Amino acid sequence: MKTLKYLSAILCFLCTTAMFAHGDLHARILKLSKQIEKNPDSAELYFHRGKLHYQHETYNKSLSDLKKAEKLGLNGIEVNFQFAQTYLKLGQHTKSISRVDEILKIEERHVRALKIKAQNQFLQNKFNIAALTFEQVIDYSSGTIPENYIDAAIAWESTETDLGLKNAEIILRRGIAELGNIVSLYIHLETLFVRQNRFDEAITVREEIISFIPRKEASHFRLYELHTVNGNSEEAKRNLDLSKQRIQDLPVRLKSTAYMKDLIQKITSIEKELQQNN
């Protein structure tokens, strides 16, 4: 009961925070609108209101303000970038890419613009081109993030070709080599292997995860699942027992979370089924 109340409080806080953020944006938009009434020829004011509308997720209004700002003479990389973002949200992919290309004429390694281009290409189902563009984002970033490698891998996977799957694996392994022990990269690599029924390799990846994460109960349960589908009942049972033991070693407050209760219930159900079959 306490956990449910705690989770409810968190959800209420997040909802309130989001409402406050949008309310604050609305107030700032109204303030800018009053300034625009006094200065109707200010391209900068229209541009800033367009950015606020984008943050407020009123994308058509954002686009209208951006067009007005441009008509009043405002241009450059920042303007084109905002157009590209807004067109992307509106699903106008060709126009978004066109704006990105204007940026790339001036700054060919503009990472944020390249990422928008890749996202547009992916949504146009141009997966091979999108994957290559996502890789440019990685190559040109001074400090890249796991998301960039995963985006590239998803694009390669989406080609549904042997080469695409191979390239997805390569880019994920590159991410691990360059960024270190990032769980999200390992999990995506494991998932890639499972989708190809390469369970031995998926198991190896999960064992690597276990080697560096502090909490291992969920990963041992995952190994139980992988060994089961791979036909190794002995290793499956061993990892099920390890998962149960890891849970028993946890403090009461951690065992009381909804996730852990669900995991305990799964283990109990599996153990009963195993006993019935023996």
Side-chain angles (χ1 to χ4, degrees):
M1 183 63 71
K2 287 182 179 179
T3 302
L4 287 173
K5 288 181 178 178
Y6 179 67
L7 289 172
S8 296
I10 291 175
L11 288 172
C12 287
F13 171 77
L14 291 173
C15 289
T16 303
T17 302
M19 289 172 65
F20 175 80
H22 276 271
D24 178 59
L25 283 169
H26 182 66
R28 290 164 66 190
I29 288 168
L30 288 177
K31 185 178 179 180
L32 268 176
S33 296
K34 290 179 181 178
Q35 292 177 20
I36 287 171
E37 287 177 9
K38 297 176 183 178
N39 303 278
D41 295 328
S42 174
E44 287 286 349
L45 288 176
Y46 278 106
F47 179 67
H48 287 303
R49 192 174 68 175
K51 290 174 71 175
L52 290 179
H53 273 303
Y54 178 85
Q55 295 171 39
H56 200 249
E57 299 177 9
T58 45
Y59 302 119
N60 280 310
K61 290 181 179 180
S62 174
L63 183 60
S64 178
D65 276 346
L66 293 176
K67 287 180 176 179
K68 184 66 176 179
E70 189 172 54
K71 188 175 180 181
L72 288 169
L74 198 65
N75 51 51
I77 287 178
E78 189 178 357
V79 174
N80 279 317
F81 183 78
Q82 193 61 51
F83 265 111
Q85 281 189 310
T86 306
Y87 279 130
L88 173 61
K89 290 293 185 180
L90 290 170
Q92 298 184 38
H93 304 300
T94 302
K95 290 183 178 180
S96 182
I97 290 173
S98 177
R99 291 289 179 162
V100 168
D101 287 340
E102 289 301 312
I103 295 171
L104 298 178
K105 287 177 184 177
I106 301 167
E107 190 177 331
E108 64 179 13
R109 296 194 174 197
H110 194 291
V111 172
R112 292 188 302 148
L114 282 166
K115 190 162 188 174
I116 289 177
K117 187 171 189 176
Q119 290 168 339
N120 277 292
Q121 292 166 336
F122 184 87
L123 291 170
Q124 290 176 311
N125 296 328
K126 298 176 179 178
F127 302 123
N128 192 80
I129 298 172
L132 292 171
T133 308
F134 276 126
E135 288 198 11
Q136 283 185 306
V137 172
I138 295 168
D139 292 337
Y140 299 156
S141 296
S142 56
T144 193
I145 55 176
E147 177 189 324
N148 293 336
Y149 295 91
I150 292 171
D151 285 341
I154 290 172
W156 281 123
E157 287 178 69
S158 298
T159 64
E160 297 183 350
T161 63
D162 290 340
L163 179 60
L165 292 172
K166 181 179 179 181
N167 285 338
E169 179 183 348
I170 289 170
I171 200 64
L172 289 168
R173 289 195 182 280
R174 177 183 167 187
I176 291 167
E178 294 178 353
L179 301 183
N181 294 332
I182 305 296
V183 174
S184 60
L185 293 173
Y186 278 95
I187 288 176
H188 203 92
L189 183 60
E190 176 193 307
T191 303
L192 178 67
F193 288 145
V194 169
R195 286 173 181 164
Q196 299 175 70
N197 296 323
R198 295 163 63 183
F199 297 112
D200 286 337
E201 289 159 286
I203 287 166
T204 298
V205 172
R206 180 55 61 166
E207 288 173 343
E208 289 177 18
I209 293 173
I210 287 177
S211 72
F212 66 80
I213 58 172
R215 292 277 302 275
K216 305 177 189 292
E217 62 278 351
S219 280
H220 278 298
F221 185 79
R222 179 58 177 155
L223 275 177
Y224 156 77
E225 294 177 319
L226 290 171
H227 280 297
T228 297
V229 76
N230 202 34
N232 190 335
S233 57
E234 184 177 333
E235 275 299 302
K237 181 62 167 61
R238 188 178 74 84
N239 276 281
L240 188 68
D241 292 340
L242 283 170
S243 179
K244 183 178 180 180
Q245 184 59 54
R246 292 285 186 179
I247 292 170
Q248 290 173 347
D249 293 340
L250 291 173
V252 174
R253 63 180 178 81
L254 294 179
K255 285 189 282 190
S256 300
T257 64
Y259 175 79
M260 292 311 302
K261 286 181 178 179
D262 181 58
L263 183 56
I264 291 167
Q265 186 176 6
K266 285 180 181 178
I267 292 171
T268 302
S269 177
I270 291 166
E271 286 181 328
K272 286 181 180 178
E273 187 177 341
L274 290 172
Q275 287 173 358
Q276 289 171 359
N277 293 335
N278 288 337

